[in-house]
Amino acid sequence: MNANIKGKTLTNSPQSPAYHQVVYTTGIQNGPAADVGGSQTVRAQLMLRELVLGGEFEPGVRIPELALVGRIGASRTPIRMALLQLQQEGLLDALPAGGYTVKSFTESDVHDAIELRGTLEGLAARMAAERGVGGGLLAEASDCLLRIDDLLAAPDLTDQCFATYVEQNGRFHAALAEMAASELVHRQIERACTLPFASPNAFVLQRSTGAGARDVLVIAQDQHRRLLDAIRRREGTRAEAIAREHARIAQHNLGEVLQSQHALSRMPGAGLLRRRRR
């Protein structure tokens, strides 16, 4: 049985959750998908991820490859490479006879993915503190925090403020991964962040309408500053502890989102989540 692809427009804009997922894992940030590095594969990957997280395919149902060719506007080779990439990221399952289906995830899967990302970022923070970080990366991270400070100065945050936070938060976490000066650790963090709901920005936009949403960002920003301070001071144990604690904000946000049907309906990939029976 093949899934139907709904006739929706794929924006691939900076406000798109799929866009921010690709930005975090590829470093590609400029322009719509059609202009991303001239790469049909990256374009197909971005658009396919948006279809998956947008609920265009039922979990467990075979994804129609031929239909994707026309829908995404790419040849079969980039489509196949994008499917393989999403399977490696954990969003898809490969079928024994060929083809792919969308995976579903339990709440425990999501908690574990967030914990894994926090553990890896803690390792990166400790390595950065122990090895030392160049001025360029420290300046990059500081610039992110200054921009977040500016938007948090407003007593009431608009949707654009939250979108800006997502962009700068993604920059900060990408810089943190690079600070470890380890290609292996950097690669594993990138891989962990592609797990469903595990990226640093996974629940930010979904919490933007909830009570205390601004307070959560203020707490996260304080942790950002303490983390960067620990790295500058070469305090590895402290840096690791702060980074791991910082990931717990995502665990808290997950709990809040799961208790709000409205927030859950706004969460990309919510249709992939198998809820526990209460």
Side-chain angles (χ1 to χ4, degrees):
M1 174 180 176
N2 287 338
N4 292 322
I5 303 179
K6 303 172 187 175
K8 79 169 189 174
T9 301
L10 301 180
T11 62
N12 304 304
S13 72
Q15 283 70 44
S16 163
Y19 172 91
H20 288 289
Q21 188 79 61
V22 171
V23 166
Y24 191 90
T25 57
T26 68
I28 297 166
Q29 303 181 51
N30 298 317
D35 299 324
V36 176
S39 170
Q40 281 198 22
T41 300
V42 173
R43 175 179 180 274
Q45 181 184 335
L46 188 153
M47 297 181 74
L48 179 58
R49 185 185 284 109
E50 186 169 344
L51 287 169
V52 170
L53 296 181
E56 300 300 308
F57 310 106
E58 290 291 331
V61 177
R62 190 177 188 278
I63 296 174
E65 184 179 311
L66 283 177
L68 288 177
V69 171
R71 185 71 180 90
I72 292 178
S75 63
R76 295 187 70 171
T77 297
I79 294 293
R80 286 172 176 169
M81 294 179 68
L83 288 165
L84 177 61
Q85 178 63 32
L86 264 62
Q87 187 242 334
Q88 292 174 343
E89 292 176 6
L91 278 176
L92 306 180
D93 277 327
L95 295 171
Y100 299 88
T101 63
V102 174
K103 291 183 68 171
S104 61
F105 301 88
T106 65
E107 292 177 34
S108 292
D109 291 333
V110 179
H111 283 292
D112 290 348
I114 295 171
E115 183 71 19
L116 175 61
R117 193 253 300 171
T119 299
L120 289 168
E121 287 190 329
L123 173 62
R126 177 169 60 79
M127 293 172 68
E130 292 175 350
R131 297 177 175 181
V133 179
L137 272 177
L138 290 174
E140 170 81 4
S142 295
D143 179 69
C144 297
L145 300 190
L146 286 173
R147 291 171 186 265
I148 293 175
D149 282 342
D150 287 343
L151 70 89
L152 290 179
D156 298 309
L157 302 185
T158 65
D159 287 345
Q160 183 56 48
C161 287
F162 280 95
T164 301
Y165 179 89
V166 165
E167 179 182 359
Q168 298 306 321
N169 188 50
R171 282 182 63 207
F172 179 84
H173 281 265
L176 173 61
E178 193 172 345
M179 286 179 189
S182 167
E183 182 179 348
L184 176 61
V185 172
H186 194 173
R187 185 166 61 249
Q188 293 307 313
I189 290 175
E190 287 182 337
R191 182 174 176 82
C193 287
T194 64
L195 295 171
F197 322 110
S199 80
N201 287 322
F203 303 103
V204 173
L205 295 179
Q206 285 63 54
R207 288 295 318 280
S208 64
T209 59
R214 181 182 180 280
D215 294 340
V216 172
L217 299 191
V218 170
I219 293 171
Q221 176 70 344
D222 178 65
Q223 291 177 337
H224 287 154
R225 290 209 167 277
R226 290 192 289 113
L227 174 56
L228 194 57
D229 178 70
I231 291 173
R232 281 198 179 104
R233 293 176 181 271
R234 309 291 293 270
E235 298 172 350
T237 301
R238 175 176 170 237
E240 181 173 18
I242 294 171
R244 296 190 66 164
E245 180 63 27
H246 183 59
R248 293 185 182 275
I249 288 182
Q251 300 280 14
H252 171 77
N253 287 343
L254 171 62
E256 292 292 320
V257 167
L258 292 178
Q259 292 179 32
S260 168
Q261 190 58 44
H262 174 67
L264 188 61
S265 68
R266 300 176 66 214
M267 185 172 75
L272 309 184
L273 190 60
R274 299 198 305 272
R275 303 293 307 280
R276 289 198 303 258
R277 292 184 178 180
R278 304 295 181 184

